[in-house]
């Protein structure tokens, strides 16, 4: 699986990024993948390569680039519960500094860069994200209604911006929630807001999961949760992108 490390020009500098795409040349539908709060690391590269193996060009930007190249802080190979508080103590100031204005400015740069790569075909793109990256994915999709045909967010705080965000979405949406993050009552309210906004979506709690369930380098990891994520994500991309 060919991979590249790239630099994406942004109004605030250069964002380093990882890209994976199918072997054998040709052009492929583009997918912008936002990492979780721990950022780009081996597990994210592995997920990007796996998705690329299904026929997509996958771009994973370091959205903390203003603070340095990935990894912006030193991460253990396994982010267990015993080290998680110390890791998050370092990351929270970076997450808090990543304002909505910065998110949208960067999203413009990322989508523009993705759509102009020689390996990416013409046509719409998709955006996917994990944890805080799920919210970034939703914001990106809402800001680029003509370009983003699908958006998927997993264990992400997707309701943080309220129904105003949903009203701007034209992409087909899948939301995979951790059981530990969301009660059925809150899910019902979220889905009602999506209905009211006229969004085409699926939104469900993944059974037996806790926040971060897709990430195999954390204690939150769920084998069945990650598989369900692929079972939802791949058909969504197949339906919405022109994957020749």
């Amino acid at each position: 699986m060919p991979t590249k490390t790239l630099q994406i020009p942004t109004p605030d500098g250069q964002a380093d990024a990882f890209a994976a795409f199918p072997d054998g040349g040709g052009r492929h539908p583009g997918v912008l993948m936002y990492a979780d709060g721990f950022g780009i690391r081996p597990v994210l590269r592995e997920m990007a390569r796996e998705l690329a193996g299904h026929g997509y060009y996958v771009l994973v930007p370091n959205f903390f680039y203003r603070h340095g190249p990935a990894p912006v802080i030193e991460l253990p190979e396994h982010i267990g519960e015993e080290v998680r508080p110390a890791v998050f103590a370092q990351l929270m100031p970076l997450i808090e500094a990543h304002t909505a204005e910065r998110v949208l400015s960067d999203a413009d740069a990322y989508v523009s860069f993705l759509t102009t790569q020689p390996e990416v075909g013409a046509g719409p793109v998709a955006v996917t994200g994990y944890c805080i990256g799920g919210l970034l994915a939703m914001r990106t999709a809402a800001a680029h209604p003509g370009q983003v045909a699908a958006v998927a967010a997993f264990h992400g705080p997707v309701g943080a911006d309220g129904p105003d965000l949903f009203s701007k979405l034209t992409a087909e949406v899948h939301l995979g929630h951790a059981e530990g993050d969301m009660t059925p009552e809150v899910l019902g309210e979220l889905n009602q807001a999506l209905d009211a906004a006229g969004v085409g979506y699926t939104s469900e709690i993944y059974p037996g999961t806790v926040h971060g369930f897709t990430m195999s380098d954390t204690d939150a990891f769920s084998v069945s949760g990650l598989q369900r994520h692929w079972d939802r994500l791949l058909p969504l991309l197949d339906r919405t992108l022109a994957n020749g």
Side-chain angles (χ1 to χ4, degrees), residues 9-92:
T10 79
D12 290 338
Q14 299 267 334
D16 52 303
F18 175 81
F21 46 96
D23 215 344
R27 291 156 75 90
H28 312 279
V31 179
L32 178 62
M33 178 184 282
Y34 285 110
D36 60 0
F38 298 124
I40 300 177
R41 58 197 193 283
V43 68
L44 262 295
R45 293 187 179 94
E46 185 183 311
M47 291 172 82
R49 281 193 290 266
E50 179 153 352
L51 183 53
H54 292 276
Y56 301 97
Y57 180 104
V58 185
L59 179 68
V60 190
N62 168 27
F63 53 81
F64 292 141
Y65 70 89
R66 292 174 182 84
H67 308 276
V72 286
I73 69 164
E74 196 173 328
L75 291 169
E77 274 186 42
H78 184 83
I79 307 167
E81 288 307 309
E82 71 287 353
V83 298
R84 192 182 178 94
V87 170
F88 256 103
Q90 294 179 77
L91 287 171
M92 277 315 293

Side-chain angles (χ1 to χ4, degrees), residues 118-165:
E119 302 90 354
V120 175
V125 299
V127 190
T128 183
Y130 304 90
C131 180
I132 186 67
L135 178 59
L136 306 189
M138 293 287 279
R139 287 174 172 173
T140 300
H144 298 87
Q147 287 179 291
V148 176
V151 58
F154 301 92
H155 48 83
V158 293
D161 292 352
D164 284 355
L165 179 72

Side-chain angles (χ1 to χ4, degrees), residues 90-205:
Q90 294 179 77
L91 287 171
M92 277 315 293
L94 278 60
I95 292 170
E96 287 165 359
H98 201 52
T99 60
E101 291 76 20
R102 284 183 170 184
V103 171
L104 294 178
S105 170
D106 288 348
D108 289 348
Y110 300 157
V111 171
S112 174
F113 184 86
L114 175 62
T115 55
T116 54
Q117 291 311 289
E119 302 90 354
V120 175
V125 299
V127 190
T128 183
Y130 304 90
C131 180
I132 186 67
L135 178 59
L136 306 189
M138 293 287 279
R139 287 174 172 173
T140 300
H144 298 87
Q147 287 179 291
V148 176
V151 58
F154 301 92
H155 48 83
V158 293
D161 292 352
D164 284 355
L165 179 72
F166 302 152
S167 67
K168 298 171 187 164
L169 288 167
T170 58
E172 187 179 336
V173 177
H174 174 70
L175 305 176
H177 310 286
E179 191 171 53
D181 281 347
M182 186 164 294
T183 64
E185 292 74 25
V186 174
L187 177 69
E189 291 167 12
L190 176 70
N191 292 354
Q192 276 187 326
L194 289 162
D195 285 332
V199 177
Y201 73 94
T202 53
S203 170
E204 61 181 321
I205 293 169

